[in-house]
Amino acid sequence: MPLSKVPKNPQKVWEALQAGNERLVSGNAISVNTESRLRARLTRGQDPRVIVLACSDSRAPIEHVFNIGFGDAFVIRTAGHILDNAVLASLDYALENLNANLLVVMGHQSCGAVGAASAFLNGEINLPTGLQRPIIEKVAASALQAKRQGRETRPDFERENTAQTVSQIIADVPAARRLLDAGTLGVVGLRYLLEDSSVETVVRHGVD
């Protein structure tokens, strides 16, 4: 089902996303929102049901992961789904203007940014000195938090990086907290598994 046909309700949108991923995993993905008539209608504006912040990794394409199509998702992607001012501003814009009912942060299995941060913490590599340095620093902070709690594996670091991103968005983007409290927004942190295309729930707020 196209997300445009899903009721504007956080739980319903979350259930529709889960159903789309289940279709992918089972090999029953359908063609969604690809017809030319829809694309022409989208020239007049957008009405996405979900906002997604995800890692840029080519192996985790959002529309395929959830079997959704044109106009269904407002997507922001950065390496390691790290947050900076541009990403926070993009999230703020989307939450204030697009009336989406779900915000998803999606990390994934075998994340290169998490792998590099883990290698740095283990003394295997030095921090980059160029533009990539903030990525490793921010992801390493999440990995250190997991280590403090006795969680030492790369999957642990991937989950913690997603959880920390969710927490920071709720804390730093005023619209996220306001819409959550109003019951019009759900926020979910996920980890995508490359091995079978399923998604693992890490944290959720405002949805079951």
Side-chain angles (χ1 to χ4, degrees):
M1 175 191 297
L3 290 189
S4 61
K5 297 186 181 300
V6 176
K8 281 186 153 300
N9 172 279
Q11 184 65 35
K12 295 297 185 183
V13 177
W14 171 224
E15 290 170 359
L17 280 189
Q18 292 178 92
N21 179 249
E22 289 168 4
R23 290 195 299 271
L24 174 67
V25 172
S26 66
N28 295 310
I30 59 175
S31 178
V32 181
N33 285 15
T34 59
E35 65 271 15
S36 59
R37 183 175 56 185
L38 168 75
R39 296 199 300 273
R41 189 165 69 246
L42 289 173
T43 64
R44 300 193 293 271
Q46 60 175 322
D47 184 29
R49 292 290 186 271
V50 62
I51 300 163
V52 182
L53 171 61
C55 181
S56 299
D57 196 293
S58 63
R59 299 167 294 176
I62 301 306
E63 285 80 5
H64 289 293
V65 169
F66 296 110
N67 193 203
I68 56 179
F70 290 103
D72 283 336
F74 182 90
V75 180
I76 306 163
R77 301 185 71 171
T78 63
H81 57 70
I82 67 163
L83 296 168
D84 60 16
N85 287 340
V87 174
L88 290 170
S90 297
L91 289 166
D92 186 57
Y93 162 78
L95 288 166
E96 291 282 9
N97 294 282
L98 299 182
N99 299 311
N101 302 107
L102 191 70
L103 170 61
V104 170
V105 175
M106 193 180 83
H108 64 93
Q109 182 182 36
S110 302
C111 178
V114 173
S118 178
F120 163 66
L121 292 177
N122 291 333
E124 299 165 9
I125 63 170
N126 295 321
L127 271 178
T129 57
L131 294 173
Q132 298 175 42
R133 185 183 182 99
I135 297 173
I136 308 306
E137 288 178 329
K138 291 185 177 185
V139 177
S142 294
L144 276 173
Q145 179 65 22
K147 277 178 168 287
R148 293 189 190 104
Q149 299 170 358
R151 295 179 289 124
E152 301 277 350
T153 68
R154 184 161 165 179
D156 289 332
F157 298 164
E158 290 164 353
R159 295 181 187 105
E160 186 63 28
N161 190 43
T162 294
Q164 290 293 326
T165 300
V166 169
S167 294
Q168 188 177 344
I169 291 170
I170 293 172
D172 292 351
V173 182
R177 181 76 268 169
R178 173 168 50 82
L179 295 171
L180 261 175
D181 290 344
T184 59
L185 179 74
V187 182
V188 179
L190 301 175
R191 177 171 172 260
Y192 175 65
L193 303 182
L194 302 179
E195 60 195 17
D196 65 3
S197 293
S198 66
V199 290
E200 167 192 336
T201 302
V202 177
V203 293
R204 60 177 183 261
H205 303 273
V207 293
D208 296 326

